[in-house]
Amino acid sequence: MKVEDFNYDLPEELIAQTPLKDRTSSRLLVLDRKTGDISHVKFANIIDYLDETDVLVLNDTKVLPSRIYGNKVDTNAYIELLLLKEKSENIWEALVRPARRVHVGTMVSFNNGELKAECISEGVDGMREFKMIYDGIFLEILENIGTMPLPPYIHEKLEDGNRYQTVYAKEYGSAAAPTAGLHFTKELLQKIKDKGIQIEYVTLNVGLGTFRPVSVDKIEDHHMHTEKYRMTKDVADRLNEAKKLGKRIISVGTTSTRTLESIYSKYGEFRECYEDTNIFIYPGYEWKAVNALITNFHLPKSTLIMLVSSLAGIDNIMHAYNVAVEEKYRFFSFGDAMFIK
């Protein structure tokens, strides 16, 4: 299957640069994956498409303020790090700019020495590993000196860093937000609960793959990145019971989807686990856990548009995306949403 099959034309002005004032005022394109029918509403109306027997599963990961700016200790040259993953205690994988200035032994200082990072290994494409040197609590230091790692297609400054967090974000560890969840407010979640809909949380820490394009011609040749996920026993037990009762499991975002499908594919049920996944979902995949999906609009030729095409069908998705362009929907992280039912 060709990557080019998942391409579409997107005018640059439709890439949302800032979040809307009211999270729930985003538009929602509702796609019936059986018929291909499309309707247009506001995201606040998502509750009208949810039944009291449904289960909504959200990713409670929290984005680290992981873009940090510093200087080489020896030359004072400017260095930018995007922290991606803690490999072991105080050892972090990071994307470096400019990478040519950082080699094994390079020491970078941040905020007048509040944090120092020593390069201990070099990878490809600007990847490095650093040993972090500091006094105090690392997360508190990051909150003080770091900024939100907005995707490269967002050029506007984000005035409020909390707008790149979901209102239910809990577990620090992501390099990017699970953006389908950005449309929810605490008030909307309460209305959903009041309707009798079950809400569950899993955790998947969004990593480097979010920033990496698919660079091969055939889907089958793409090497998927690895991300860490967690499901607790209580959540697993309740989801297994929901599955047994035939309830519709609706994942909020592709990250929740990858978590649910990874666990069910591996164990044939939901199970307490804390593991890595490199699951690659594209057309031809047999869905096992998820019945419906709330998601944003994704980049052309990305693994995420392949995932949603697997659930709804390539023709349905590409038609829906073309309609969204015609209707001037807002795209990507701060953009509008789609409900695939």
Side-chain angles (χ1 to χ4, degrees):
M1 192 173 295
K2 294 181 179 178
V3 172
E4 187 61 36
D5 293 339
F6 300 88
N7 198 9
Y8 65 94
D9 293 324
L10 179 67
E12 190 172 345
E13 62 267 21
L14 296 185
I15 300 174
Q17 293 296 312
T18 55
L20 297 178
K21 185 176 181 180
D22 174 13
R23 291 175 185 256
T24 66
S25 65
S26 297
R27 297 167 74 186
L28 179 68
L29 185 151
V30 181
L31 172 63
D32 187 322
R33 60 192 177 101
K34 294 188 176 72
T35 65
D37 291 344
I38 289 172
S39 53
H40 308 278
V41 295
K42 292 292 186 183
F43 191 85
N45 298 114
I46 186 66
I47 193 168
D48 299 331
Y49 295 88
L50 304 178
D51 301 323
E52 60 184 22
T53 56
D54 288 338
V55 182
L56 205 61
V57 183
L58 304 97
N59 180 9
D60 65 3
T61 192
K62 196 169 187 178
V63 184
L64 285 164
S66 56
R67 194 180 295 279
I68 54 178
Y69 305 93
N71 302 88
K72 288 180 66 174
V73 169
D74 56 352
T75 66
N76 205 40
Y78 170 85
I79 300 293
E80 175 186 330
L81 300 190
L82 174 58
L83 304 181
L84 296 168
K85 185 189 300 183
E86 188 173 22
K87 305 280 284 189
S88 57
E89 188 173 4
N90 291 328
I91 305 298
W92 281 80
E93 181 181 70
L95 195 58
V96 182
R97 289 197 313 183
R100 69 181 185 278
R101 291 180 175 169
V102 177
H103 305 286
V104 172
T106 298
M107 186 75 77
V108 185
S109 175
F110 303 90
N111 200 32
N112 296 317
E114 183 178 1
L115 172 68
K116 290 183 178 178
E118 180 186 2
C119 180
I120 59 173
S121 74
E122 298 181 44
V124 297
D125 299 327
M127 298 296 295
R128 303 285 188 273
E129 285 189 2
F130 291 89
K131 179 182 179 182
M132 298 298 170
I133 304 166
Y134 58 92
D135 291 321
I137 300 171
F138 185 67
L139 284 177
E140 289 183 357
I141 293 171
L142 269 191
E143 287 176 345
N144 182 41
I145 70 174
T147 62
M148 281 296 174
L150 296 179
Y153 48 76
I154 292 178
H155 309 296
E156 296 283 336
K157 183 181 178 183
L158 181 62
E159 298 298 332
D160 179 5
N162 286 326
R163 291 308 306 273
Y164 195 58
Q165 301 278 21
T166 62
V167 297
Y168 48 83
K170 181 181 176 184
E171 304 290 341
Y172 266 127
S174 279
T179 54
L182 296 179
H183 304 283
F184 288 90
T185 60
K186 290 181 179 178
E187 292 76 17
L188 178 56
L189 287 169
Q190 189 59 53
K191 286 181 182 178
I192 290 170
K193 285 182 183 176
D194 291 344
K195 190 172 178 178
I197 294 153
Q198 183 179 337
I199 297 179
E200 301 290 352
Y201 295 94
V202 296
T203 305
L204 181 138
N205 291 328
V206 188
L208 177 63
T210 299
F211 301 94
R212 265 195 181 147
V214 177
S215 57
V216 296
D217 294 326
K218 291 183 178 179
I219 288 179
E220 295 82 1
D221 295 334
H222 179 65
H223 179 67
M224 196 67 176
H225 58 285
T226 298
E227 294 170 317
K228 191 169 288 293
Y229 67 85
R230 176 188 287 112
M231 177 179 284
T232 65
K233 185 178 187 305
D234 288 347
V235 170
D237 289 346
R238 288 192 295 266
L239 287 176
N240 282 327
E241 181 64 20
K243 199 79 172 168
K244 192 184 301 179
L245 294 173
K247 292 186 175 184
R248 185 170 63 156
I249 294 179
I250 303 170
S251 60
V252 176
T254 56
T255 60
S256 300
T257 300
R258 295 183 73 234
T259 301
L260 296 171
E261 291 294 328
S262 293
I263 296 170
Y264 218 90
S265 293
K266 185 172 182 178
Y267 299 111
E269 63 177 0
F270 297 112
R271 189 177 291 187
E272 177 184 17
C273 50
Y274 181 49
E275 298 174 343
D276 292 326
T277 181
N278 63 351
I279 191 170
F280 186 12
I281 299 174
Y282 57 89
Y285 173 81
E286 182 182 342
W287 287 72
K288 304 167 186 69
V290 173
N291 306 111
L293 171 62
I294 297 169
T295 186
N296 276 21
F297 291 92
H298 304 294
L299 277 73
K301 301 194 287 187
S302 64
T303 61
L304 301 183
I305 196 171
M306 295 170 193
L307 184 153
V308 297
S309 295
S310 172
L311 181 63
I314 299 177
D315 291 344
N316 283 341
I317 287 295
M318 300 316 295
H319 174 64
Y321 270 60
N322 288 328
V323 169
V325 170
E326 291 170 9
E327 295 291 329
K328 298 192 180 328
Y329 271 66
R330 303 168 77 245
F331 277 67
F332 305 161
S333 296
F334 289 139
D336 297 314
M338 175 188 285
F339 178 42
I340 303 172
K341 65 175 188 173

